[in-house]
Amino acid sequence: MLDKLKPETALTIKKYGYFIYLMPLFLPALSFYWAHETGLHTFFAFFPLLVVYVIVPIVDVILGKDPVNPEEDQVPGMNQERFYRWLTLSCLPLYFICIFSSGYLLLNWPELSLLGQIGYVLSLGVVGGIIAINVGHELIHKNTQLEKISGGLLLSLVSYGGFTVEHVYGHHVHVSTPEDASSSRFNQTLYQFLPHAYVHNFLNAWKLQKNRLAKKGKTLLSSDNELIWYYLFSVCVSVLLGVFFEVLGSSFWLGVGVFFLQSFIAFTLLEIINYIEHYGLHRRKMSNGKYERVTPEHSWNSNYFLTNMFLFQLQRHSDHHAYAARRYQVLRHYDESPQLPFGYATMFVIALFPPLWKAIMNPRVEAYYQDEGQHLVSQ
């Protein structure tokens, strides 16, 4: 690893790198432009996938690890910097615009083959996974109503409003235990993990919300049930996109289909990242029947600079689980946390091929727990 970036340079890029943080939002439009400039229509329909899963991992290796690791005395000041907060809040209107502008470009791209059309919607879903899911995840952990609601609406733009409840009150409570469908087990393949995660996380969100409302003396059908509003928002946006397509001379149902296909791709990306983040890690059950508290040892970390920026520091996942309310700009890297060999984008591709995944990750899980056991014995 080259690790060329100096801490002060990296921090400056993080503070003022608007384009890097928001670049995924521009990829669908850039694909359209370059396709018409080059005539390579099908290729550039898939261009955002090439950027995220090939170019970013290569640049990650060139730039190396993220050298910015805020000291505790720097945290209060960085927390107050408005840039970081408004950057995340701006993603709500920007992704909404991205969905409709991408739809417009799709309908004005007659040269595009059916394969290219599918690739373009897949690409939009990847952008949704990076922006709507990832930034929505950041916002729902915050204490202000503006941020929480913005996070829920962002997640609703990819039809995953239930994440607002299940993630905070389910995943963060039960992470790295058998009770959590978003924590993958040792030797479990991605394709075994995904169906259970889809179903359990949807149903568990409603179960958790029902219990939360019952404590307030309210029913699941109460107007205080935020899940109803978030899923209703998803339906409204899908209808709006359908009307938009119809006005432009296309099919209403095509617009609705585009909305839900990009949603499916986006929340599938989320569950694949969940698979990666906790694979094979577990919390011990204590003598009182409860699990040990969550520490930085219960999530896989990756500290590559460019992917850290693209994902708003999501790769520093250990610190996020240990201190869930921490803002993304002050999340810290822990050397003692289990470390992934590559950034999330590369690990995503590897996870698609279970034999390759197990060949790379199983020895790391075993070595991590062997080293941890030796450390405990030496104490």
Side-chain angles (χ1 to χ4, degrees):
M1 305 309 170
L2 302 182
D3 298 324
K4 289 183 175 180
L5 283 173
K6 295 180 179 179
E8 57 271 20
T9 304
L11 184 58
T12 300
I13 294 173
K14 285 188 176 188
K15 281 186 177 182
Y16 305 108
Y18 293 89
F19 181 72
I20 297 177
Y21 284 110
L22 300 178
M23 188 175 76
L25 289 164
F26 298 98
L27 291 177
L30 290 173
S31 297
F32 180 85
Y33 173 77
W34 283 327
H36 286 81
E37 286 293 305
T38 63
L40 301 174
H41 294 281
T42 300
F43 173 80
F44 277 103
F46 287 89
F47 181 68
L49 302 179
L50 179 69
V51 170
V52 174
Y53 297 114
V54 178
I55 295 176
V56 168
I58 291 173
V59 177
D60 258 344
V61 173
I62 294 172
L63 294 180
K65 301 294 181 65
D66 187 343
V68 179
N69 221 22
E71 299 294 338
E72 286 301 325
D73 60 349
Q74 296 176 297
V75 169
M78 292 182 70
N79 271 334
Q80 295 304 313
E81 293 188 36
R82 294 183 179 180
F83 163 75
Y84 297 108
R85 187 173 304 185
W86 288 109
L87 181 67
T88 52
L89 288 171
S90 71
C91 287
L92 175 56
L94 289 176
Y95 188 63
F96 183 87
I97 293 169
C98 182
I99 292 173
F100 282 81
S101 62
S102 298
Y104 176 83
L105 294 178
L106 181 64
L107 295 179
N108 286 275
W109 200 341
E111 305 90 346
L112 200 58
S113 65
L114 177 61
L115 176 62
Q117 291 171 351
I118 294 171
Y120 193 66
V121 179
L122 289 175
S123 297
L124 177 60
V126 169
V127 175
I130 296 171
I131 299 297
I133 292 281
N134 190 46
V135 178
H137 164 259
E138 167 69 18
L139 290 170
I140 62 174
H141 279 289
K142 300 303 165 276
N143 294 323
T144 72
Q145 281 298 103
L146 175 62
E147 288 173 298
K148 282 186 176 180
I149 293 173
S150 296
L153 293 177
L154 259 173
L155 291 163
S156 300
L157 287 177
V158 289
S159 308
Y160 224 48
F163 188 77
T164 60
V165 173
E166 206 291 324
H167 179 77
V168 175
Y169 301 103
H171 176 61
H172 269 263
V173 174
H174 300 295
V175 63
S176 295
T177 72
E179 284 77 17
D180 182 35
S182 292
S183 297
S184 51
R185 317 288 182 256
F186 183 73
N187 234 26
Q188 184 181 30
T189 70
L190 175 64
Y191 305 104
Q192 292 168 330
F193 170 82
L194 282 177
H196 181 57
Y198 291 143
V199 175
H200 178 276
N201 289 340
F202 175 79
L203 295 177
N204 200 43
W206 288 94
K207 179 182 176 181
L208 288 166
Q209 190 70 337
K210 180 181 178 180
N211 293 339
R212 293 178 68 226
L213 289 168
K215 292 177 181 178
K216 300 177 182 179
K218 297 178 180 179
T219 69
L220 195 58
L221 296 179
S222 165
S223 61
D224 287 348
N225 185 351
E226 63 191 74
L227 296 186
I228 293 175
W229 296 108
Y230 288 140
Y231 282 117
L232 184 60
F233 181 73
S234 299
V235 172
C236 289
V237 176
S238 72
V239 170
L240 192 59
L241 189 63
V243 171
F244 182 71
F245 270 52
E246 195 166 33
V247 168
L248 293 177
S250 185
S251 163
F252 170 86
W253 292 110
L254 178 61
V256 172
V258 166
F259 177 80
F260 285 113
L261 179 56
Q262 66 88 30
S263 295
F264 176 76
I265 298 303
F267 65 67
T268 296
L269 261 62
L270 162 68
E271 296 300 352
I272 294 175
I273 294 302
N274 276 336
Y275 175 84
I276 292 167
E277 288 170 338
H278 304 287
Y279 177 77
L281 301 178
H282 60 268
R283 287 155 61 194
R284 298 175 184 84
K285 210 164 194 177
M286 313 300 285
S287 58
N288 60 4
K290 295 182 179 180
Y291 291 99
E292 62 180 321
R293 74 177 186 87
V294 181
T295 72
E297 299 173 356
H298 299 121
S299 304
W300 289 97
N301 260 24
S302 180
N303 199 38
Y304 286 90
F305 177 76
L306 183 59
T307 310
N308 260 359
M309 286 200 67
F310 254 51
L311 299 181
F312 293 78
Q313 305 280 74
L314 182 68
Q315 294 187 132
R316 293 183 168 183
H317 206 61
S318 295
D319 201 21
H320 168 68
H321 267 282
Y323 306 98
R326 274 194 176 177
R327 294 187 175 274
Y328 69 98
Q329 67 266 29
V330 296
L331 288 174
R332 294 180 52 77
H333 169 72
Y334 294 95
D335 287 327
E336 62 269 26
S337 298
Q339 304 295 317
L340 292 170
F342 308 106
Y344 275 14
T346 306
M347 298 307 298
F348 176 96
V349 176
I350 293 172
L352 299 177
F353 303 95
L356 179 60
W357 172 266
K358 290 181 181 181
I360 293 173
M361 288 302 298
N362 282 10
R364 287 178 174 268
V365 175
E366 292 166 347
Y368 177 74
Y369 278 110
Q370 182 178 17
D371 291 345
E372 184 189 45
Q374 291 175 350
H375 173 68
L376 290 172
V377 170
S378 66
Q379 289 181 322

